[in-house]
Amino acid sequence: MNTASHWIESAALPSFGKLDRNYQVDAIVVGGGITGITAAYLLKQAGKTVALVERDHCAGVDTGHTTAHLTSVTDRRLRQLAKTFGNDTARAVWDAGAAAIDQIVSLIRKKDIACDFHWVPGYLHARLGAVRDSDREEFEQEAALARELGIPAVALPAVPLFGTPGIKFPHQAIFHPRKYLAELLRRIPGNGSHVFETTEVEEIEADPPAIKSGRFRIEGSYLVLATHTPLMGNTGLLSALLFQTKLYLYTSYALGAKIPTGVAPQASFWDTGNPYDYLRVEHRPDAGHDYAIFGGEDHKTGQERSEVDAYMRLEERFRSYFPDAQIDSRWSGQVIETNDGLPFIGETAERQFVATGFSGNGMTFGTLGAMMAVDAMLRRKNPWQDLFDVHRKKLLGGTWRYIRENSDYPYHMVRDWLAGAEDDSLDALGRGEGRILALGGKKVAAYRDEAGKLSLCSPVCTHLKCIVAWNDAEKTWDCPCHGSRFKPDGEVIAGPAEEPLEKLSPAEFQR
């Protein structure tokens, strides 16, 4: 199954070399997704020299696997936010998303960026086939609170396309994230600023802030960790581990398809299922078809029996809406939820900034995180710095979720360590297949590529020692405890793990 995303297949980015000598800059930005690229660009515009450092290729991991909704609509309903935090906070969270969209629009207009940007309505609606008698009343109450908070919203007895009760939120948006970010990337290097790809940060120093990769070092006066799941950096081990227990990594699946022109409005949709489905439709009058991206089937990373089955379920629902669709891409990405539903954006240590926990709003909260990083470095007060403070102590309505989400960590660790006592054979491993095998009395993460070459690793996640699971769709090792992901040969794709899986020699287990 091809799992390259529509965005990666349809837009190329400029490429950059590896760190090749020592540098000194004002700001070091680690992570080349939307948060890191935007932060590096805005910091340079603010007169700072910047080094943007990416382990792989920019906008190729989480940002390259988004569904690219630009919206202020969050997973937490306005009534939930208001009940937990109060009306002012509910409005502030909405405004945060709106400010991020305004920032994106401002850059598009100033730099004349062609990135398929469109203003569209957003529809929150009851799931087809699961409409309850109370849905209409609940949507009316949600829309009424929105209007009370000064947010445009209209309750509808039947939203377009799906025909179920819902709410229309005008003035949301869609765009092509890689086309947009490509133009920002091109403007970062020069005048003392740099972009480095295929450069893994191996060590972070505190005073002054600096990163090391191989034999080389970049020194700065400020550090932005824009790595989706934050690197520990200069945060103490205990503080870093406690922080990571407030982050819950989920895998979400998406497919892209050509659909007949005019069968659906150009819009964004989200239903109220758990997990929920989401859809964005883009009109392409010059192409002879429209384009739909449909997503859902979310689960905690590493805890799905078969990712291929998840794609099949998603496709079955999608075809019930668009039977004539031509599906041309499938992919998955990670979504980081938090204990209280709000992102964590701010300094985790002196002159060290992180932004994470975007809960499905990565394009907007990622951009906001970049804006807040600039304010933090320049020591400017930001309207959302207290709301999204990474050190906020009060769990509020998130207390129960904090306990519930972390309860499966010891369960998966103990279950997976004890499972699989019988000895297996490498001969049973097919080409293109990965499995956890018991070999010579120990667990082994074994993968055989299409050419027949074996890669053997310890299956013990280098974060907190859980046993990884094989993702049969993406061909990755995924940790079911805290969501770390590794390539078939054990190299890190996404944290919180910062070290690769320990490599093992096939000769040790050959018979």
Side-chain angles (χ1 to χ4, degrees), residues 269-430:
F269 298 86
W270 310 269
D271 72 29
T272 54
N274 185 22
Y276 64 90
D277 289 341
Y278 45 95
L279 169 73
R280 52 165 277 169
V281 176
E282 179 185 353
H283 287 175
R284 297 182 177 178
D286 297 335
H289 60 79
D290 292 341
Y291 200 81
I293 293 177
F294 184 65
E297 288 294 322
D298 298 19
H299 62 80
K300 290 193 79 172
T301 296
Q303 296 186 21
E304 171 66 29
R305 184 177 297 275
S306 171
E307 286 77 10
V308 170
D309 289 348
Y311 280 117
M312 292 177 64
R313 292 191 297 270
L314 191 69
E315 181 174 338
E316 182 179 4
R317 289 198 301 280
F318 177 70
R319 290 199 180 279
S320 71
Y321 312 134
F322 302 103
D324 298 324
Q326 300 176 40
I327 297 173
D328 58 18
S329 55
R330 300 169 179 81
W331 68 94
S332 70
Q334 276 193 314
V335 175
I336 300 186
E337 303 283 349
T338 68
N339 59 296
D340 59 10
L342 302 181
F344 289 104
I345 305 175
E347 291 185 338
T348 51
E350 182 69 20
R351 294 184 288 172
Q352 177 178 288
F353 190 94
V354 305
T356 188
F358 301 148
S359 302
N361 286 61
M363 298 296 98
T364 43
F365 282 142
T367 299
L368 182 77
M371 297 159 63
M372 293 177 65
V374 176
D375 286 343
M377 181 173 183
L378 300 181
R379 294 304 180 215
R380 298 190 304 217
K381 178 72 175 177
N382 182 279
W384 296 281
Q385 70 184 47
D386 294 331
L387 177 60
F388 299 143
D389 182 14
V390 297
H391 298 295
R392 59 183 185 261
K393 301 293 186 184
K394 194 173 182 182
L395 292 177
L396 300 171
T399 303
W400 164 242
R401 182 164 193 196
Y402 177 84
I403 296 169
R404 174 169 55 88
E405 288 285 354
N406 281 285
S407 64
D408 59 7
Y409 161 53
Y411 163 73
H412 278 280
M413 184 170 68
V414 172
R415 184 203 68 179
D416 292 337
W417 269 105
L418 294 178
E422 293 184 7
D423 231 19
D424 297 310
S425 170
L426 286 170
D427 296 337
L429 193 65

Side-chain angles (χ1 to χ4, degrees), residues 307 432-436 447 468-472 475-478 488:
E307 286 77 10
E433 184 181 3
R435 286 169 55 189
I436 302 293
Y447 171 72
V468 298
W470 178 246
N471 179 327
D472 61 353
K475 307 297 184 186
T476 57
W477 297 110
D478 298 348

